[in-house]
Amino acid sequence: MKILVTGSSGFVGKNLVETLKNIRDKKDKTRLNLSIEEIYEFDKDTSYNLLDEYCSKCDFVFNLAGVNRPRDQKDFDFNFNFVEILLNMLKKHNNKCSIMLSSSIQAKLDNDYGKSKLEGEKILFDYAKNNNVNVFVYRFPNLFGKWCKPNYNSVIATWCYNYANNLAIKVNNPDTELELCYIDDVIEEMLDALDGNAHKKNEYCYVPITYKITLKRIVEILNSFKEQPSTLIIPEIPNNSFEKKLYSTYLSYLPKDKVKFPLKCNVDDRGSFTELLKTINNGQFSVNISKPGITKGQHWHHSKWEIFIVVKGSALIQERKIGTDEIIEFYVSDKKIEAVQMLPGYTHNIINLSNTEDLITLMWANELFDYNKPDTYSEEVKNEH
């Protein structure tokens, strides 16, 4: 299959083209039934002669080319003029391939941009009817995701960029509700259209996953993202949630000096202990470094439990149920990565068996450490009577 993408260097176009390349090159195996031979990219710097050549060869067209922030209102005419140019070229070559058109929910509104999009839709629908061509017209809501240009036409892109770069944002009405659609969901739907499985209602196609959310809530979420390097708390990001997709978007705007952030390392003569990441409902991760011959731990918990994973060195982990003398032991090392659970009601320790090398252990605890209620009680594993 040979695919033409117009507006290929724009926000949606770039995401689509890179996805199509991954499918073409067999890096993305989620669409095994799609066989992509060529991807023709057309943008503002591409000649119309080349576009004409593409129109003679392509098997499917994604028409994403458009103008939404022109200097002159008359430039909105491109949104329907280009549709005519594209269709005339296809007709010239008697190419009746399927065509997808990127329109906007603003086609329902009485503004110059919306009117230009509506006119483009009408031209395409007439062409489809008169030439027996299959078309997919999408009236997209507000789109967001990586590679979207800030300070252009996306509040999400602008705010993510500003938060990432410590710039102020402007909120006119916090209660304003937006309908938002994430770029990966848009691309999935476009691939569905290519695959013959577009979601359609009446004459229009649609992306089945959108989110309605207020500006106030977006600000709250972005604040939690910005604070993460200092709190170490990963905000709640349930699968397929708006929060998860917004977090991916926010991270894509981080400047170099924020990609890396410092961690507080608690150091003493036994080694060090550093908290890495925390979650609200699923505990926290830490890394523990023990100097040669050092024993750490020697405490127990009522309800808290932990998992130790030695990633460098060799260790002996011992656990003893409170009130008993029996000790269970586990020899672990980086030769075979294993996880050992620290059981509630068992005092436990970890001993570095090396006399020369540090022991490095990744630790997970099922809850955040609470200084006011630590649920941690010192007691030697070897109970001396």
Side-chain angles (χ1 to χ4, degrees):
M1 182 180 291
K2 299 175 182 179
I3 300 170
L4 168 60
V5 180
T6 70
S8 57
S9 67
F11 167 44
V12 178
K14 185 176 180 180
N15 277 274
L16 175 62
V17 167
E18 293 305 319
T19 300
L20 292 173
K21 287 179 180 178
N22 284 336
I23 296 173
R24 179 196 63 190
D25 299 340
K26 311 300 181 185
K27 297 176 183 178
D28 182 341
K29 295 180 171 56
T30 62
R31 300 274 179 167
L32 295 177
N33 53 323
L34 287 179
S35 178
I36 298 175
E37 180 183 353
E38 297 284 349
I39 303 166
Y40 303 131
E41 299 181 47
F42 174 85
D43 217 301
K44 58 185 179 181
D45 297 325
T46 311
S47 73
Y48 277 81
N49 287 335
L50 195 55
L51 176 63
D52 184 70
E53 179 185 336
Y54 293 159
C55 286
S56 70
K57 300 176 179 179
C58 63
D59 302 305
F60 194 103
V61 177
F62 289 104
N63 183 30
L64 309 176
V67 171
N68 51 28
R69 289 286 294 273
R71 294 181 179 179
D72 191 318
Q73 294 298 97
K74 291 182 179 179
D75 291 340
F76 279 130
D77 292 354
F78 177 88
N79 291 329
F80 57 86
N81 285 336
F82 181 77
V83 175
E84 280 195 312
I85 292 171
L86 176 67
L87 297 180
N88 285 335
M89 287 184 178
L90 291 169
K91 193 173 182 179
K92 169 187 171 183
H93 297 289
N94 195 30
N95 188 342
K96 296 190 176 183
C97 68
S98 298
I99 305 166
M100 173 270 176
L101 175 67
S102 171
S103 188
S104 167
I105 55 174
Q106 292 199 44
K108 302 176 184 179
L109 304 180
D110 186 23
N111 60 51
D112 289 335
Y113 174 66
K115 289 176 181 177
S116 69
K117 283 295 189 179
L118 180 61
E119 183 63 24
E121 292 177 4
K122 291 178 179 177
I123 292 170
L124 183 60
F125 281 132
D126 287 343
Y127 173 85
K129 182 179 179 181
N130 295 330
N131 295 277
N132 194 28
V133 169
N134 195 21
V135 298
F136 307 90
V137 177
Y138 288 86
R139 285 183 169 179
F140 290 131
N142 298 279
L143 306 183
F144 72 100
K146 67 183 184 301
W147 303 336
C148 187
K149 185 179 179 181
N151 300 305
Y152 189 58
N153 68 335
S154 166
V155 66
I156 295 293
T158 300
W159 285 5
C160 283
Y161 175 85
N162 284 11
Y163 265 89
N165 289 277
N166 296 324
L167 300 174
I169 66 167
K170 184 178 180 180
V171 185
N172 291 324
N173 183 357
D175 295 324
T176 298
E177 185 177 70
L178 299 180
E179 183 178 8
L180 296 163
C181 190
Y182 183 55
I183 187 60
D184 286 9
D185 296 323
V186 173
I187 300 304
E188 279 298 303
E189 174 58 28
M190 292 168 71
L191 294 178
D192 283 344
L194 182 63
D195 212 10
N197 296 309
H199 290 82
K200 198 167 187 178
K201 185 175 182 180
N202 299 323
E203 59 185 346
Y204 292 99
C205 299
Y206 64 94
V207 181
I209 302 173
T210 63
Y211 304 91
K212 290 186 178 181
I213 190 163
T214 64
L215 297 181
K216 179 182 178 181
R217 179 57 184 151
I218 295 171
V219 169
E220 291 173 349
I221 298 169
L222 288 174
N223 277 327
S224 70
F225 295 168
K226 185 177 181 179
E227 293 168 357
Q228 190 277 326
S230 58
T231 65
L232 298 183
I233 296 177
I234 298 293
E236 291 189 86
I237 46 175
N239 188 42
N240 211 33
S241 65
F242 171 75
E243 289 81 1
K244 182 178 181 181
K245 297 168 183 178
L246 182 62
Y247 206 174
S248 293
T249 303
Y250 167 75
L251 291 174
S252 73
Y253 292 95
L254 286 180
K256 179 183 176 181
D257 63 343
K258 286 192 177 182
V259 174
K260 180 177 73 171
F261 58 90
L263 298 170
K264 182 183 178 182
C265 186
N266 300 290
V267 181
D268 60 25
D269 57 0
R270 302 173 303 159
S272 66
F273 179 80
T274 307
E275 294 178 323
L276 302 178
L277 295 173
K278 301 179 180 181
T279 67
I280 295 172
N281 294 313
N282 296 291
Q284 67 179 58
F285 295 87
S286 307
V287 64
N288 184 77
I289 299 177
S290 301
K291 291 183 178 180
I294 289 296
T295 298
K296 283 192 173 184
Q298 305 287 41
H299 59 239
W300 63 280
H301 317 288
H302 277 298
S303 297
K304 183 188 299 184
W305 78 90
E306 300 161 300
I307 295 177
F308 291 180
I309 303 171
V310 168
V311 295
K312 182 64 177 176
S314 58
L316 170 63
I317 295 174
Q318 298 177 313
E319 302 185 51
R320 176 178 59 80
K321 186 176 182 180
I322 297 301
T324 72
D325 294 327
E326 182 182 357
I327 298 174
I328 55 177
E329 296 183 328
F330 305 93
Y331 287 91
V332 289
S333 77
D334 56 19
K335 305 301 182 185
K336 182 180 180 182
I337 303 298
E338 298 174 295
V340 182
Q341 301 189 80
M342 304 301 109
L343 308 175
Y346 281 68
T347 186
H348 52 270
N349 64 26
I350 181 167
I351 304 168
N352 185 352
L353 296 178
S354 172
N355 293 320
T356 57
E357 300 292 332
D358 285 348
L359 172 71
I360 303 176
T361 307
L362 179 64
M363 297 179 171
W364 172 82
N366 72 305
E367 60 187 39
L368 303 187
F369 183 77
D370 183 349
Y371 286 94
N372 296 317
K373 191 177 180 181
D375 187 19
T376 301
Y377 310 95
S378 61
E379 183 165 335
E380 299 280 334
V381 172
K382 289 189 175 181
N383 194 6
E384 302 294 340
H385 294 290

